Amino acid sequence: MVLRYTAPKGTRDVLPSEAEIWQQLEGLFHSLAELYGYREIRTPIFERTELFLRGLGEVTDIVQKEMFTFTDRGGRSLTLRPELPAGTVRAFLEHNLAEEGPVCKFRYFGPAFRQERPQAGRYQQFTQYGVECFGSRDPASDAEVIDLAMAFLERAGLAAVELRLNSIGCPICRPAYRSRLLAYLTARVGELCPLCRERMEKNPLRILDCKSPSCRAVVAAAPLTVEHLCPACAEHFAAVKDYLTSLGRSFILAPHLVRGLDYYTNTVFEVVAPGLGAQDAVIGGGRYDGLIETCGGPPTPGVGFAGGLERLLLALAAAGAGPREKRVPLVFLAPLGAAPKELAVRLAHEMRTTGLRVDLDYRSRSLKAQLREADRQGARVVVILGEDELARGKAALKWLDGGGQEEIDLSVLVAYLREKTCSE
Ligand code: AMP
């Protein structure tokens, strides 16, 4: 029996028919983030495991059960990155990038790996894109990051999204809030889901955004972070909201939106899209003034966002939207006979060097079969090279988009095709 290989569970192939939209979204993300001053950083897809244990904190769900961890031949523990910010912080510190300026802005785009139970919009390998702004505590930076996230989704074609915003305070105001929350939750612990009962001790804030109906009922009346902000945090949050309003970015206050770990401060936000079911966050972000210190660096404020490309594609499909296809038109060469074929091989090379997209069928088939192939490939024009035409120094062009047929001198063929197909 022949073994049929299939892609591992939770992974997906991006087939040629989907590759163009991937390239467009990747290109759009890079060009837009560049306009906002976020420079690209590329870090390895695996890091030493400790980086994620420190970077993510030891109590997150990711660390507890989701990392792809392995031991190398030297006995060191390595992990496929479950997210890209940790590597970005590591590189920022390792290469002293803070020396380049008081505020350092990075963007990243690449695969991330989590051993989550696969479901719609949740994969074991997914593509994470995002930005980090290190060095600024200014609320205008929070607004800039959010504005970039929204501009990206908008330009990608996803119009109907909801920006949800909250503030979770800082190490000054959060402990008092945490105690009040714990007191409230302790009284109703029996009604919480098993995971949240576990979270009570180490990560009670996360209970606020648990999706289970019983937990939702409990937290509906829980004390809220925004009601317990210290004056500095309240002022910061008010300024973020004012900046967003002045940028024309509408938002919905989401008092139950949280991040559980201590290094997150102030702003938290997520962008949700309709039609995605339970996994509806296309982008999540916020401020984490304690993160760099957690990774062994000096106290440095930070704010950023991360999104998953696969989920954005699902949201675009659900909305029937997306960037417009704009491939370079295809020129198809159809030689008839041995000498024309030789010329076609050379012509294809020459045309491609000038930027034309060219293909041909090497199987030396009939004109009819070659025209059918050109049609199948969606060619704009077929260049018919027959012995007769060649003898007269000509080629016959057949425009498949209804433009009829014409004869062109071989000497001007390339320039003519460039003018007709590359000027769009
Ligand atoms: P997080 O680091 O968990 O805040 O994730 C950031 C973004 O990455 C989310 O908003 C999702 O869009 C995306 N994402 C996270 N986990 C997955 C996954 N397993 N599969 C696909 N996308 C994901």
Side-chain angles (χ1 to χ4, degrees), residues 84-370:
L84 274 60
T88 305
V89 172
R90 197 253 321 126
F92 171 72
L93 294 174
E94 182 174 339
H95 304 286
N96 294 319
L97 297 182
E99 285 173 3
E100 293 183 0
V103 176
C104 293
K105 305 203 292 188
F106 304 103
R107 67 175 189 268
Y108 54 76
F109 188 106
F113 306 85
R114 295 182 188 176
Q115 286 199 71
E116 296 184 285
R117 192 171 56 78
Q119 54 175 267
R122 202 195 252 184
Y123 306 98
Q124 301 216 343
Q125 173 174 340
F126 66 101
T127 307
Q128 201 172 53
Y129 61 90
V131 300
E132 310 288 350
C133 169
F134 297 141
S136 167
R137 210 179 297 275
D138 197 302
S141 294
D142 305 49
E144 179 184 273
V145 159
I146 295 173
D147 184 44
L148 171 55
M150 298 304 283
F152 171 62
L153 297 178
E154 213 169 75
R155 294 273 293 274
L158 198 61
V161 291
E162 191 176 285
L163 167 60
R164 307 175 66 225
L165 187 70
N166 193 22
S167 173
I168 55 169
C170 71
I172 294 170
C173 50
R174 203 167 330 140
Y177 166 72
R178 195 175 184 274
S179 319
R180 287 199 56 168
L181 177 66
L182 261 181
Y184 171 85
L185 293 173
T186 306
R188 301 185 63 175
V189 66
E191 297 163 61
L192 297 176
C193 74
L195 178 61
C196 283
R197 260 177 260 160
E198 261 178 58
R199 282 172 174 157
M200 278 284 280
E201 278 292 302
K202 290 179 176 159
N203 210 351
L205 261 73
R206 278 297 307 278
I207 299 174
L208 288 176
D209 72 355
C210 178
K211 303 273 188 293
S212 101
S214 56
C215 295
R216 281 192 165 189
V218 173
V219 301
L224 300 173
T225 54
V226 276
E227 293 163 353
H228 298 81
L229 299 179
C230 61
C233 287
E235 198 183 308
H236 192 276
F237 192 37
V240 172
K241 290 186 284 188
D242 285 348
Y243 278 124
L244 286 175
T245 304
S246 76
L247 296 176
R249 296 284 173 210
S250 48
F251 53 85
I252 289 172
L253 292 177
H256 290 127
L257 180 64
V258 290
R259 300 273 184 273
L261 300 169
D262 288 347
Y263 57 74
Y264 288 106
T265 52
N266 300 104
T267 313
V268 278
F269 71 95
E270 69 180 13
V271 190
V272 298
L276 286 188
Q279 306 298 324
D280 62 354
V282 282
I283 282 183
R287 177 166 281 284
Y288 31 73
D289 288 346
L291 173 64
I292 291 180
E293 243 176 311
T294 313
C295 296
T300 311
V303 57
F305 75 73
L309 201 76
E310 290 80 359
R311 223 175 266 182
L312 171 56
L313 285 165
L314 288 174
L316 286 171
R324 218 167 37 88
E325 285 208 12
K326 49 173 192 298
R327 297 176 76 186
V328 181
L330 176 68
V331 175
F332 197 89
L333 303 184
L336 301 166
K341 180 174 173 186
E342 217 173 279
L343 173 69
V345 170
R346 267 188 290 118
L347 261 182
H349 167 80
E350 184 190 337
M351 288 175 166
R352 288 164 177 157
T353 56
T354 71
L356 284 165
R357 182 160 75 96
V358 182
D359 212 345
L360 62 164
D361 185 343
Y362 291 123
R363 289 174 294 176
S364 305
R365 297 193 299 161
S366 69
L367 179 60
K368 197 169 152 208
Q370 296 196 59

